[in-house]
Amino acid sequence: LLRVTNALNYTYIIRSNGVTVKDDHLLPGSVFDGYIPGFDLNVQPSRRKISANWDGFGLPASALSQAAVEGNQGYQAKDSNTADQTIAQEIMYYEVAVGTDRRFQKTRDNIVPFTNVGLNKSVTFYDLNLASGIAMYYFTVRAYSISYSIATVTSNGFHVGYDGGVEGGSIIMGDFINNDTYVDIQFEGFTSKLEIMMYYVGLSNNTGAEGTDCKL
């Protein structure tokens, strides 16, 4: 209610149309170490650059699914399938941190403090000096809903290995193929100091296509 009194001491009372209060906790999502959307890496190659991605915060179970690529279990969230999502579950922004121990609050962000990344669902931190070998590091994502509910999820951890990525090989394919129903693609010579987790193969008529999205 709002009570207003004017200079002549006339008083008016105005009422709002009402509000309902609901304790609606934000649904947690999943956090993955590494730059491949929906896949978790146990080792990241660089001591100076690390990445993470996440999804599923505020989404109902019907919008989540598991995916397997050549035996590697992955995770997908269908943002379009949000019919059961309440308005209070919509995400306002994310904060991301890196730490050395996910059990304690003060060690969840002792490497990189919590950083606001807006509505991005991935992040890469640069210019670090992490320890190779047995040292374990963790990403922690803190999601804020539009109703200011908070969900905090920490990754399962990762080690850092050698600086340097995969050395490119070659694609064995002719300039022309004799059918329009399938394409036989062979490749060889891709090497890495770390075990190669998977290969992505994409087909595009866009000469600028790159990365692992392959939507073109």
Side-chain angles (χ1 to χ4, degrees):
L1 293 91
L2 174 64
R3 184 170 62 194
V4 182
T5 303
N6 65 11
L8 297 177
N9 204 31
Y10 287 104
T11 300
Y12 303 90
I13 295 179
I14 302 174
R15 295 174 176 82
S16 71
N17 60 0
V19 63
T20 300
V21 178
K22 181 181 179 182
D23 187 12
D24 193 6
H25 297 288
L26 181 63
L27 296 173
S30 297
V31 179
F32 307 100
D33 302 308
Y35 64 92
I36 304 175
F39 289 88
D40 187 74
L41 304 181
N42 295 323
V43 179
Q44 298 202 44
S46 176
R47 297 173 50 244
R48 297 172 176 82
K49 182 181 75 172
I50 56 175
S51 302
N53 65 94
W54 57 91
D55 213 335
F57 286 89
L59 293 180
S62 59
L64 312 178
S65 63
Q66 294 289 328
V69 178
E70 295 297 325
N72 294 282
Q73 291 298 320
Y75 171 99
Q76 293 178 346
K78 303 175 184 177
D79 292 325
S80 60
N81 189 8
T82 58
D84 298 330
Q85 185 184 31
T86 64
I87 296 177
Q89 291 289 323
E90 293 183 12
I91 303 300
M92 185 166 55
Y93 63 91
Y94 298 98
E95 291 181 341
V96 189
V98 181
T100 55
D101 195 332
R102 63 181 181 180
R103 295 174 298 173
F104 310 106
Q105 184 174 355
K106 64 181 180 180
T107 54
R108 290 177 184 168
D109 64 345
N110 57 341
I111 299 297
V112 178
F114 277 100
T115 304
N116 189 324
V117 296
L119 290 174
N120 292 317
K121 295 182 180 179
S122 63
V123 70
T124 298
F125 292 125
Y126 299 88
D127 300 325
L128 302 176
N129 186 22
L130 305 180
S132 301
I134 63 173
M136 185 75 78
Y137 300 95
Y138 303 87
F139 277 95
T140 297
V141 175
R142 186 185 289 163
Y144 294 80
S145 74
I146 62 174
S147 62
Y148 284 94
S149 295
I150 302 174
T152 302
V153 178
T154 304
S155 70
N156 60 1
F158 64 95
H159 302 284
V160 293
Y162 307 93
D163 286 304
V166 177
E167 295 183 8
S170 59
I171 298 176
I172 305 171
M173 188 175 180
D175 294 332
F176 300 92
I177 57 176
N178 60 1
N179 68 84
D180 59 1
T181 57
Y182 71 92
V183 179
D184 185 16
I185 300 176
Q186 300 180 19
F187 49 90
E188 65 180 8
F190 291 86
T191 59
S192 172
K193 294 180 180 179
L194 302 174
E195 179 183 0
I196 293 178
M197 175 181 169
M198 69 177 74
Y199 294 94
Y200 275 85
V201 178
L203 183 65
S204 175
N205 61 0
N206 176 17
T207 57
E210 62 182 11
T212 58
D213 201 6
C214 298
K215 289 183 178 179
L216 297 174

